[in-house]
């Protein structure tokens, strides 16, 4: 896999993050340094396409890349090997054909979604959903985090809610904690998490990055597993801003 070491972004691109992304001020200096390299590699290697003639602007690319790369910040990988392009739709993505709904159910016809991740294929995103969610963590939803969590899950070729782990004991503990939470649905996760283990991982990832303090309070063991896997602690980052000043 390629390394982000030789990459970076321009002062103009940093300016977009400073102006447009609420998480930017929360990142510590070393985190900013790493995420800029990750974004630089992401922008240099991913293909971008606007659906139905939609114009994908520099700002859109930088903001999607930043959110996708936040997931990689504490991981030992610098890119998403199971995808190489992003297709940006202006609004809801309308999928045609046969769909798997989970639990063995299928439907045919048009299905409307905010995003979709393909194994060794593109990530589809609705720009209106990206825009509405990126600075509204109180919604607990983020389509970029969701779809790129699927891409992490897909690295080992199976979409089962368990991304690759170097250590077998870590993987077993992860599966145990996630299975327990899957079987006794915590309220802090929205219902869609319980569609199947793959959706559980993606929805829990959204909550982990959007509402880390709430997730940590409600489900400390699950939160701890996500801290271990992602190699970062978003609640610690968010906390100082939530504490009242003396
Ligand atoms: Zn999903």
């Amino acid at each position: 896999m390629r390394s982000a070491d030789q990459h970076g972004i321009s002062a103009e691109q940093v300016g977009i993050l400073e102006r447009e992304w609420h998480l930017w001020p929360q990142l510590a200096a070393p985190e900013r340094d790493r995420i800029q390299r990750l974004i630089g590699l992401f922008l240099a290697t991913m293909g971008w396409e606007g659906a139905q003639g939609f114009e994908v602007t520099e700002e859109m690319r930088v903001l999607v890349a930043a959110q996708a790369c936040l997931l990689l910040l504490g991981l030992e990988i610098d890119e998403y090997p199971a995808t190489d392009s992003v297709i940006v739709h202006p609004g809801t993505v309308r999928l045609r054909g046969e769909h798997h709904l989970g639990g063995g159910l299928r439907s045919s016809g048009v299905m409307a979604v905010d995003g979709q991740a393909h194994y060794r294929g593109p990530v589809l995103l609705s720009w209106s959903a990206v825009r509405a969610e990126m600075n509204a963590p109180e919604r607990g939803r983020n389509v970029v985090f969701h779809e790129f969590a699927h891409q992490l899950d897909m690295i080992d070729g199976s979409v089962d809610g368990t991304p690759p782990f170097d250590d077998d004991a870590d993987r077993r503990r992860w599966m145990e904690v996630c299975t327990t939470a899957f079987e006794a649905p915590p309220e802090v996760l929205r219902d869609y998490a319980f569609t199947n283990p793959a959706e559980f991982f993606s929805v829990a990832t959204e909550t982990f990055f959007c509402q880390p303090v709430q997730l940590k309070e409600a489900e400390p063991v699950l939160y701890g597993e996500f801290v271990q896997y992602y190699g970062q602690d978003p609640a610690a980052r968010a906390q100082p801003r939530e504490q009242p000043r003396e």
Side-chain angles (χ1 to χ4, degrees), residues 146-147 150 192 199 202:
H146 185 101
E147 303 307 338
H150 280 316
Y192 192 60
E199 295 307 336
S202 280

Side-chain angles (χ1 to χ4, degrees), residues 85-128:
S85 63
V86 180
I87 300 177
V88 187
H89 290 244
T92 308
V93 183
R94 302 178 79 78
L95 304 169
R96 284 166 216 285
E98 183 118 330
H99 313 291
H100 297 266
L101 299 176
L105 294 175
R106 285 158 172 265
S107 94
S108 54
V110 177
M111 190 169 79
V113 296
D114 287 335
Q116 197 182 40
H118 293 265
Y119 177 60
R120 302 220 164 139
V123 171
L124 277 55
L125 295 170
S126 149
W127 176 250
S128 65

Side-chain angles (χ1 to χ4, degrees), residues 18-235:
E18 285 171 349
R19 278 195 312 278
E20 305 286 344
W21 193 31
H22 79 108
L23 283 175
W24 184 255
Q26 287 187 16
L27 300 176
E31 292 177 318
R32 286 186 195 177
D33 182 61
R34 170 147 166 85
I35 203 166
Q36 287 182 52
R37 293 173 192 281
L38 292 169
I39 295 168
L41 176 62
F42 193 98
L43 293 173
T45 53
M46 293 288 262
W48 297 84
E49 196 187 308
Q52 301 130 25
F54 185 58
E55 193 200 338
V56 184
T57 64
E58 169 80 348
E59 185 174 300
M60 290 175 194
R61 281 192 291 270
V62 170
L63 293 170
V64 166
Q67 294 174 84
C69 291
L70 182 69
L71 274 56
L72 303 178
L73 200 57
L75 294 177
E76 282 171 11
I77 53 170
D78 288 0
E79 62 177 347
Y80 290 96
T83 182
D84 60 6
S85 63
V86 180
I87 300 177
V88 187
H89 290 244
T92 308
V93 183
R94 302 178 79 78
L95 304 169
R96 284 166 216 285
E98 183 118 330
H99 313 291
H100 297 266
L101 299 176
L105 294 175
R106 285 158 172 265
S107 94
S108 54
V110 177
M111 190 169 79
V113 296
D114 287 335
Q116 197 182 40
H118 293 265
Y119 177 60
R120 302 220 164 139
V123 171
L124 277 55
L125 295 170
S126 149
W127 176 250
S128 65
V130 174
R131 186 81 248 187
E133 292 164 358
M134 62 173 290
N135 290 319
E138 67 281 1
R139 293 185 182 201
R141 300 179 71 133
N142 183 300
V143 66
V144 180
F145 298 159
H146 185 101
E147 303 307 338
F148 281 91
H150 280 316
Q151 288 295 341
L152 291 174
D153 188 6
M154 286 172 184
I155 290 175
D156 57 10
S158 62
V159 191
D160 55 4
T162 303
F165 282 86
D166 289 336
D167 187 88
D168 232 29
D170 286 347
R171 187 173 53 80
R172 276 199 301 275
R173 201 187 53 240
W174 166 274
M175 288 175 72
E176 224 175 87
V177 169
C178 290
T179 304
T180 303
F182 188 78
E183 286 169 354
E187 268 179 38
V188 67
L189 300 180
R190 71 174 202 270
D191 288 348
Y192 192 60
F194 308 100
T195 310
N196 58 49
E199 295 307 336
F200 179 88
F201 174 54
S202 280
V203 172
T205 294
E206 291 178 75
T207 311
F208 179 70
F209 286 104
C210 293
Q211 300 181 310
V213 177
Q214 289 93 320
L215 182 63
K216 188 179 179 181
E217 273 168 18
E219 294 292 324
V221 177
L222 182 65
Y223 183 82
E225 279 307 309
F226 274 69
V227 169
Q228 277 285 318
Y229 168 66
Y230 276 111
Q232 53 179 314
D233 186 351

